[in-house]
Amino acid sequence: MRFDIDSAKFVEHDLDSEKLAVIGSDRAVSWSELEAESEELAVTLRSLDLPLGHPVLVRGHKEVGMVSAMIACMICGHPYVPLDVVVPSDRVRRILAITGSRLIIDHTEDAFPDVAFVLKRNGLLRSAATSSAEPAPDRPEDPIRYIIFTSGSTGEPKGVRITRESARAFLDWMVNDFGFGAADVYINQAPFSFDLSVYELFTSLHIGGTLLLNDGETAKDSHRFLDRIKQYNGSVWVSTPTFAYLYLTEPGFTGEAVPSIRHFLFCGESLPKATAQRLLDRFPNARVLNTYGPTEATVATTLIDVTRDVLMEYPDMPVGRVKRDAMIRCVTPDGRPAVKEAPGEIEIIGPHVSIGYLNNDALNTEKFFALDGQRGFRTGDYGWFEDGILFFNGRRDEQVKLNGFRIELGDIGAQMLAVPGVADAIAVPLKSGETVKRIVGFIRAAPGSDGSLLRETVASHLRRTLPSYMVPADLMMVEAFPVNTSHKTDRKALIELYTKRPKSGT
Ligand code: AMP
């Protein structure tokens, strides 16, 4: 059996309905059990009479119930908004305000008194709250499948809307070009609020494979994680390069010890050549796939099988060839073709490009465009083509990646500035080469504020309002922000202040 994402129906019932469909952190279900559970949830959803297209928040951490909830939403024509527990409840409330959602399917103990319907493990809670409903979409032929929220530079998260058409374009590519099948076991560890997880979630459901979910504790414990992969014959490893790099320090992470792994699928940040090389050495029977793309263009747009030949041929790590139904152009200021020495901004055009951010017209006008009847997105990434293969050359703005997680430094800054007593604040990445290793928040207290008290207040405010991966590793109080010759805050000087600080003086 499989769940066809395009038609939002369980199909091919006669095939392997007793095969495991989802192995969650809490329990495992077969395909027939997943179908029964999702259909039952769909009945509950319909009974709430939410308008078609009304977004539903789905919150938890790797429970089977998260998957059946996302499926039920698709069946009923509701976009789901996946929220892992890395997103704290204050941010969930801001997302609720943006979506106007009246229903949250929640696997945590948190209370949401302002939401009309809260569906918990033990049943449905109704409240008197009347949050405003989103108007029903006027495109029933292309319903929104999901809305993933990413960090926004102004401190307001951005909801990327992915429709049925975009999901179809993504899955056509997955089915035809990646070489995965129904016999594969797709290993998940990324939170569902990170679009990397759409790789294994959608592919496994759509192809009819088995989805192996791993909670944060398991992913951190290499013995537990590798044992689980062995136990369930995990075959498709999906992660950021950083996550695999951490596993390379593990002697038991080899093709001999974990022979079921046949594919390493990467996206979300640069794949270092050394990481790819070491994986090929350790897993001689596995493929290493590098893919590139932002959430706004449904997971990824380019793909390359990183073979030994590819590693030898190109001094830089390629991110791949553009999928057939899409186009990428690298736009330079002078209109000349982008080259390594003068890369251009990467624009993605194709059916997998989002219809835009939810309720954010200003940003949609800036970032999205139409070209010959197709949707386009200005990524803010830079790159160039060589032999028809795209190469990535970083960004020029305040968006960074930390362990593959997308972070707008301005989002952190806005949260620090929201704390009374903070006169000025800025988040600065500490890098090793091009890789961000940690983020440090610098704070200047307003006159009369107690610095050390303020530091604690800001720290707890950030833990409450930001996803855990966005909370700066450290906060440092400064008397004044150094400025450079162009009268801008001198980040280099701040980093120097931080690295040379006396141990107890922060
Ligand atoms: P996200 O929306 O979280 O998937 O982040 C998308 C961003 O991650 C892109 O705009 C790039 O800046 C970066 N990115 C994604 N894939 C790659 C890759 N293969 N190599 C380098 N950077 C990447």
Side-chain angles (χ1 to χ4, degrees), residues 150 194-196 266-271 290-296 299 319 379 381 392 395 399 401 404-406:
T150 73
F194 180 5
D195 94 317
L196 177 69
F266 294 116
C267 194
E269 62 178 351
S270 294
L271 170 62
N290 191 18
T291 65
Y292 155 85
T295 307
E296 287 85 343
V299 190
V319 297
T379 61
D381 295 326
F392 174 79
R395 299 181 64 87
Q399 183 182 304
K401 282 280 178 153
F405 288 108
R406 174 168 160 180

Side-chain angles (χ1 to χ4, degrees), residues 53 66 142 152 156 238 240-241 253 323 332 394-395 489 492 501:
M66 273 198 90
D142 192 20
E156 205 56 1
V238 188
T240 59
F253 187 49
K323 68 208 274 285
T332 55
R395 299 181 64 87
T489 304
K492 275 199 195 126
R501 75 200 181 285

Side-chain angles (χ1 to χ4, degrees), residues 314 316-319 346 382-386 389-393:
Y314 298 103
D316 299 286
M317 171 61 84
V319 297
I346 298 175
Y382 283 73
W384 78 95
F385 278 99
E386 214 174 297
I389 296 173
L390 184 68
F391 289 80
F392 174 79
N393 183 260

Side-chain angles (χ1 to χ4, degrees), residues 236-308:
V236 182
W237 170 292
V238 188
S239 80
T240 59
T242 303
F243 186 80
Y245 172 79
L246 294 174
Y247 266 79
L248 281 168
T249 57
E250 194 50 52
F253 187 49
T254 64
E256 230 170 47
V258 203
S260 61
I261 301 178
R262 303 303 298 271
H263 316 268
F264 287 94
L265 174 54
F266 294 116
C267 194
E269 62 178 351
S270 294
L271 170 62
K273 288 185 88 176
T275 302
Q277 183 69 60
R278 286 172 69 194
L279 284 170
L280 289 173
D281 291 345
R282 289 229 195 160
F283 292 84
N285 297 320
R287 295 188 305 153
V288 173
L289 305 174
N290 191 18
T291 65
Y292 155 85
T295 307
E296 287 85 343
T298 324
V299 190
T301 304
T302 66
L303 161 69
I304 188 160
D305 200 332
V306 183
T307 58
R308 285 168 205 286

